[in-house]
Amino acid sequence: MIFLTALSLFWIMISASRGGQWGAWMPSSISAFEGTCVSIPCRFSFPDELRPAVVHGVWYFNSPYPKNYPPVVFKSRTQVVHESFQGRSRLLGDLGLRNCTLLLSNLSPELGGKYYFRGDLGGYNQYTFSEHSVLDIINTPNIVVPPEVMAGTEVEVSCMVPDNCPELHPELSWLGHEGLGEPTVLGRLREEEGTWVQVSLLHFVPTRETNGHRLGCQASFPNTTLQFEGYASLDIKYPPVIVEINSTVEAIEGSHVSLFCGADSNPPPLLTWMRDGTVLREAVAESLSLEVDEVTPAEDGVYLCLAENTYGQDNRTVELSVMYAPWKPMVNGTVVAVEGETVSILCSTQSNPDPILTIFKEKQILATVIYESELQLELPAVTPEDDGEYWCVAENQYGQRATAFNLSVEFAPVILLESHCAAARDTVQCLCVVKANPEPSVAFELPLRNVTVNETEREFVYSERSGLLLTSILTLRGQAQAPPRVICTSHNLYGTKSLELPFQGAHRLMWAKIGPVGAVVAFAILIAIVCYITQTRRKKNVTESPSFSGGDNPPVVFSSDFRISGAPEKYESERRLGSERRLLGLRGEPPELDLSYSHSDLGKRPTKDSYTLTEELAEYAEIRVK
């Protein structure tokens, strides 16, 4: 490519030198180091019909028009130049051969600018060419880095310096290339416009660590003190790498949490905090923090930091563990069961860390697990004793929560042994205590009277329930000769149970019936009997005694021995009955036992005979009272 370019320029110069029209060729720009020299190549042409004997030329600085009096760089006719160019300019080319090459030495910055050539063939045959060359005075080498350098991909970096001074040629060396690779010097190359450059190449494979590395090139000129250096910072493109992120974060519920993520990439990455696919925060930055105020258990989980740019992406996760006390336990399972069934109760909660779960009843631990969120309680065959209130308690170092639940065991009625009948004054009360679930019905049966009384007849039956116990009391008012037979029957949907109620304190029934007055009468009768027996024995002794004298001690005549001659037996019976009534203090007929078990039986109450006090005891009691 360079050979073809040089060849084309050569033909242009040949054609221009052969003439034809006014024209000139020179590089549009050329550069040289300060303190060195520069050769500006130049060719010109003029019409063939002009045949000048001598060809002269003038170089102007920054203006092509003589009327503007531009500084003269070189003038072949008079050798008069501007003071800035005295001793610094000379013509290298032969104007007769149409070569106008100019040499400038001891370059300084003020010499940088535009240079114009004017052909002078004599007379009016003078022509200023519009073509010109711009001289650039430099003091640093030019380091050329490709516009995009990616990590892991081989790159070529070149150092180029002008080499247009025929008297001084530069030598190139690399600075700061250690670890990158060995440089390759290509040597002196000609550019498209006929200028020359010295080139050195450096091949290496960059890494992310070499991003920003300062690479230098030095141009030095042998046998002089001239030395020039240039530097370039490597801009290495590479995908993001997350270099800093929180490890697992533990926070107590309600506290403040900060999650940090930092990434290294070029260009800077787009950082994004995400959770479950939801973007929480994002920004183009090297680091990004996610702030969580008053953290809750709902924010417990895995958080993702995503870093991405044009060249790739990277992501890392961090787990946020929110520590909190157990939630109120939930109880799922059977809470109503039939006696004998298997009951399974599941108690579950949520906490961090996992809690200690315990199920107990009446301060007795039934089941417990450590660091588990669920606890299963199995009761293989429930009994009525399993009925009641249970507690599920969950606790960890951050708190304790509890839930109460009831297990209802349903079973057939059971009549307890404390059920009985008892007398008090003129009342008999029967107590029937039943244990059952659900609540049973209770009925009292008096088989001798063919009467049944249930709970609906509140005048006679009083019931009260406490827990699983149902207590029913039957009250019988009035007086009875003997303890009644009472059968208690209880029924619910699981069965029926009957029990004949025992009578407690049957020997006290009579005293309960007759009351205080009856007790006095009975005591009086007892005294009369004792007196009667005593008198009878005395009479017998007197009759049988041989020393008995009728005149000294006449026999005593008792009113009980007195009989009215010819009195009917009925009169005697009525007299004895009246004496008994007076002793008992009764008037009219003796009271009846009130056995009114139901409103339908109120007219069927039986009437008992009078108390079984013998006529003989009543007679002796009457005599004793007199």
Side-chain angles (χ1 to χ4, degrees), residues 459-476:
E459 182 180 356
F460 309 105
V461 178
Y462 170 77
S463 296
E464 182 178 279
R465 184 172 177 86
S466 177
L468 299 178
L469 295 180
L470 177 65
T471 303
S472 294
I473 301 175
L474 172 67
T475 302
L476 303 177

Side-chain angles (χ1 to χ4, degrees), residues 151 207-209 237-245 260-271 285-287 305-309 311-316:
T207 63
R208 66 176 59 246
E209 290 75 20
K237 309 296 184 181
Y238 54 91
V241 173
I242 295 178
V243 295
E244 186 176 3
I245 193 170
F260 180 83
C261 179
D264 175 36
S265 72
N266 187 26
L270 172 64
L271 288 176
E286 294 181 353
S287 63
C305 176
L306 174 66
E308 55 186 339
N309 65 8
Y311 302 96
Q313 67 176 22
D314 189 20
N315 66 80
R316 295 276 297 277

Side-chain angles (χ1 to χ4, degrees), residues 166-298:
E167 301 171 358
L168 296 173
H169 297 285
E171 293 182 355
L172 300 179
S173 60
W174 288 96
L175 303 175
H177 70 288
E178 295 81 2
L180 297 180
E182 293 299 324
T184 301
V185 177
L186 293 182
R188 191 169 183 261
L189 297 178
R190 181 170 179 152
E191 296 180 300
E192 292 182 358
E193 294 186 335
T195 58
W196 295 87
V197 293
Q198 191 75 250
V199 179
S200 178
L201 302 180
L202 182 66
H203 293 266
F204 61 96
V205 177
T207 63
R208 66 176 59 246
E209 290 75 20
T210 57
N211 182 47
H213 182 79
R214 197 161 180 260
L215 185 63
C217 178
Q218 184 184 76
S220 58
F221 294 86
N223 302 319
T224 69
T225 59
L226 298 176
Q227 194 174 71
F228 303 92
E229 294 180 356
Y231 292 90
S233 293
L234 299 179
D235 185 19
I236 311 299
K237 309 296 184 181
Y238 54 91
V241 173
I242 295 178
V243 295
E244 186 176 3
I245 193 170
N246 302 80
S247 57
T248 299
V249 177
E250 291 186 356
I252 299 176
E253 182 179 10
S255 63
H256 176 84
V257 174
S258 178
L259 302 180
F260 180 83
C261 179
D264 175 36
S265 72
N266 187 26
L270 172 64
L271 288 176
T272 306
W273 275 108
M274 306 176 66
R275 179 170 181 248
D276 298 332
T278 301
V279 176
L280 304 178
R281 190 184 179 195
E282 64 179 1
V284 177
E286 294 181 353
S287 63
L288 185 64
S289 294
L290 179 64
E291 307 292 335
V292 182
D293 293 324
E294 296 183 358
V295 66
T296 65

Side-chain angles (χ1 to χ4, degrees), residues 13 16-17 23-26 41-45 93 97-101:
M13 296 175 65
S17 63
W25 173 91
M26 64 187 69
C42 177
R43 296 285 186 271
F44 68 97
S45 63
L97 298 177
R98 306 180 184 185
N99 187 337
C100 51
T101 301

Side-chain angles (χ1 to χ4, degrees), residues 331-383:
V331 177
N332 298 323
T334 305
V335 292
V336 177
V338 180
E339 181 180 12
E341 288 183 347
T342 298
V343 173
S344 178
I345 298 174
L346 178 66
C347 176
S348 62
T349 186
Q350 183 175 330
S351 70
N352 192 16
D354 286 332
I356 299 174
L357 276 173
T358 305
I359 296 179
F360 66 88
K361 178 188 179 187
E362 298 175 354
K363 299 182 179 181
Q364 179 182 359
I365 295 177
L366 303 179
T368 186
V369 291
I370 298 177
Y371 305 138
E372 296 287 344
S373 59
E374 293 184 350
L375 174 59
Q376 190 95 13
L377 175 63
E378 295 283 347
L379 300 175
V382 294
T383 64

Side-chain angles (χ1 to χ4, degrees), residues 249-251 257 259 292 295 299-303 318-322:
V249 177
E250 291 186 356
V257 174
L259 302 180
V292 182
V295 66
E299 290 160 317
D300 185 287
V302 177
Y303 291 75
V318 56
E319 182 176 357
L320 173 59
S321 181
V322 180

